[in-house]
Amino acid sequence: MTMIFATLLVALGLFLAVAYDRQWARYVDRFLCSWLIALTAWPVIVIYAVAPALWSSADAAGAIFAVLLYGPAAGMSVAAALHAVATRGFRIDGSAAILALLMGYACAAMIVDGSGRVVNLVMSMALLVGFVFRYRSFGLDEVARSARVALVVTAGILLISVLFNSSRVVGACRIDKCTDLGAVLTSPFAGNGNLAGITITALLPFAVYRVAMWRVLAAVAGVALIGLLAGSRTAFGGIAVAGLLGVLLALPSITARVRNLMLGLALVASAVYSLFPLYIGYTNADYSLRGYLWNQALREIPDQWFFGHNPAFWVESGASLLFKANYSPHNGWLEILLSVGVWGVVLIVLAAVVKVVQTTDATTRAYLLAYFSTILALSSLEAVYVPYFLGIAPFAALLPYFLYQHRSPAHRSTRSPSPVPGHEVLNESQMELR
């Protein structure tokens, strides 16, 4: 337990160093920061700290567990949507609206098939609605500051939980979850530390925006330490991509042409990597027994290849009963094809393309591409990007939608969204003087 505590303490120290800013209170957007933390850090806090201290298992917690897990973020999303609709000049985010269309289809498919998990879908809709109806801008600098705060909050709460409730959140090594620390982060509400590893990895691409190179490296090191603690091999593919691209984008001398070329190569490489169950050989026992799940999904997909079965099919059909808590095929593309078919794949890809295209600022677009590359890498071994259902990480499909430039001049915030005009790349000395 001492090594686990020390690892978390070092990670927290690194995140504090990255996030430290004497003018933080002046420039942080409190609503955005609270919303982002509620969507990303709060579920990790509930699963690894709050719930283990209150209940013995998810069954013991009952329905209140799901409300506690996603209720705060859903409430803030609905509040944002209502405020937008009540505001003259509100806009509809076209990219998010495409995901809303997919979610409407998913809901219809589940109702037709008599699924008992429609409440799950309703919660997903509540999480998304605030990103469809928009009334103000959120800039990359604001999102980056909030992401850094989320890293600090997550590491800090995990540290407290390990210190005061280690018997519930630190477990012995499993055959597929073992690290040099001799133990791993776990929870009776998650089974392992995968969610913690995925969450902090997904925050990394935005968290390293506009900080000095040494802080970029510190953020990567802190995320890697928690990934190690979580025993999450899924996370390390994403950490490698996010870390390399974070370093690349922090280089003050890099030209736009080289940057775009490297981002394009990273996106293609991550996409190819995320598809590897479709073109490599494996046995049922490979990749922590994921081979069983991939083979089962590949047998089911052809039956409903265009429109998919429905988002709850995997769990309700009993395919996941091969292993405890297998809620998905553990690959992003297989999950999407199984649930919403080729039709769903087209809509999800289209929504991502529209999001990138409608982002006019070149630097914001670069960090957005870095984020999508990271998510693709994570999707190789886990179904991370699930914008039509409450998967392992509902925030993964929503986090990029915090970035939004409202186009109504009459209602644009009079406060500059960034303490430094524009999104220029600063050199090391300029960064340290801030």
Side-chain angles (χ1 to χ4, degrees):
M1 205 275 283
T2 302
M3 285 297 296
I4 301 293
F5 179 81
T7 301
L8 275 172
L9 186 62
V10 172
L12 176 60
L14 291 170
F15 291 153
L16 285 170
V18 174
Y20 175 72
D21 184 350
R22 285 174 294 182
Q23 297 181 324
W24 176 85
R26 178 181 176 185
Y27 293 118
V28 74
D29 185 302
R30 287 175 174 79
F31 179 76
L32 167 62
C33 189
S34 300
W35 190 1
L36 190 145
I37 288 174
L39 185 63
T40 59
W42 177 248
V44 176
I45 292 169
V46 170
I47 288 173
Y48 297 99
V50 177
L54 297 178
W55 301 290
S56 60
S57 65
D59 291 337
I64 193 174
F65 175 65
V67 175
L68 183 63
L69 202 60
Y70 301 114
M76 297 191 76
S77 175
V78 171
L82 291 175
H83 186 89
V85 172
T87 300
R88 186 177 179 183
F90 80 90
R91 298 265 181 168
I92 294 179
D93 187 323
S95 175
I98 294 173
L99 296 184
L101 173 64
L102 176 62
M103 196 169 287
Y105 164 73
C107 182
M110 290 174 63
I111 292 173
V112 169
D113 290 345
S115 172
R117 296 175 180 265
V118 176
V119 174
N120 183 300
L121 197 62
V122 171
M123 184 66 77
S124 298
M125 291 178 176
L127 290 172
L128 175 65
V129 68
F131 298 100
V132 177
F133 300 97
R134 311 301 292 257
Y135 68 96
R136 55 158 296 187
S137 299
F138 288 140
L140 178 57
D141 189 74
E142 294 170 312
V143 173
R145 289 171 182 272
S146 299
R148 293 194 283 270
V149 174
L151 286 176
V152 172
V153 170
T154 302
I157 298 299
L158 287 176
L159 181 67
I160 293 172
S161 183
V162 168
L163 181 62
F164 292 103
N165 198 18
S166 62
S167 63
R168 300 275 288 160
V169 297
V170 176
C173 283
R174 284 175 16 190
I175 188 171
D176 62 329
K177 297 284 182 184
C178 196
T179 72
D180 294 336
L181 300 176
V184 292
L185 186 68
T186 187
S187 169
F189 296 84
N192 56 52
N194 223 20
L195 175 62
I198 289 170
T199 301
I200 53 128
T201 301
L203 288 168
L204 183 58
F206 296 135
V208 296
Y209 169 66
R210 192 174 276 171
V211 296
M213 181 63 78
W214 73 265
R215 293 192 181 193
V216 174
L217 296 175
V220 174
V223 170
L225 285 175
I226 293 186
L228 178 66
L229 172 62
S232 177
R233 284 174 289 185
T234 302
F236 274 96
I239 293 170
V241 172
L244 288 173
L245 293 180
V247 169
L248 173 74
L249 294 173
L251 293 173
S253 59
I254 191 171
T255 64
R257 179 174 295 180
V258 173
R259 178 191 67 187
N260 293 338
L261 175 62
M262 297 302 294
L263 285 168
L265 290 174
L267 191 66
V268 171
S270 295
V272 171
Y273 174 58
S274 69
L275 289 164
F276 83 87
L278 300 181
Y279 60 77
I280 67 163
Y282 57 84
T283 67
N284 284 340
D286 285 344
Y287 302 99
S288 302
L289 304 177
R290 281 174 170 83
Y292 284 105
L293 306 179
W294 296 340
N295 287 332
Q296 179 67 26
L298 289 170
R299 284 191 290 269
E300 300 282 2
I301 287 169
D303 293 339
Q304 297 286 342
W305 65 272
F306 190 77
F307 287 113
H309 292 273
N310 76 64
F313 173 80
W314 181 264
V315 175
E316 292 182 341
S317 69
S320 66
L321 296 181
L322 288 167
F323 309 103
K324 183 180 179 181
N326 275 313
Y327 42 84
S328 79
H330 282 61
N331 174 270
W333 298 109
L334 294 181
E335 158 64 31
I336 295 169
L337 286 169
L338 185 76
S339 298
V340 290
V342 172
W343 155 258
V345 171
V346 171
L347 288 183
I348 289 171
V349 173
L350 178 62
V353 171
V354 170
K355 181 61 182 175
V356 172
V357 171
Q358 73 181 12
T359 302
T360 56
D361 179 76
T363 302
T364 303
R365 188 185 300 122
Y367 280 86
L368 193 60
L369 289 172
Y371 177 81
F372 282 129
S373 296
T374 301
I375 293 299
L376 281 169
L378 290 172
S379 297
S380 60
L381 296 172
E382 189 58 79
V384 175
Y385 201 88
V386 182
Y388 48 80
F389 202 62
L390 284 182
I392 184 175
F395 70 86
L398 303 176
L399 193 55
Y401 288 94
F402 280 109
L403 296 169
Y404 181 75
Q405 183 61 47
H406 195 61
R407 304 193 186 281
S408 175
H411 296 86
R412 188 172 296 162
S413 173
T414 57
R415 178 175 64 86
S416 172
S418 169
V420 181
H423 292 284
E424 70 277 16
V425 177
L426 305 182
N427 61 36
E428 183 87 7
S429 59
Q430 288 175 312
M431 290 176 180
E432 292 306 317
L433 286 173
R434 292 199 59 239

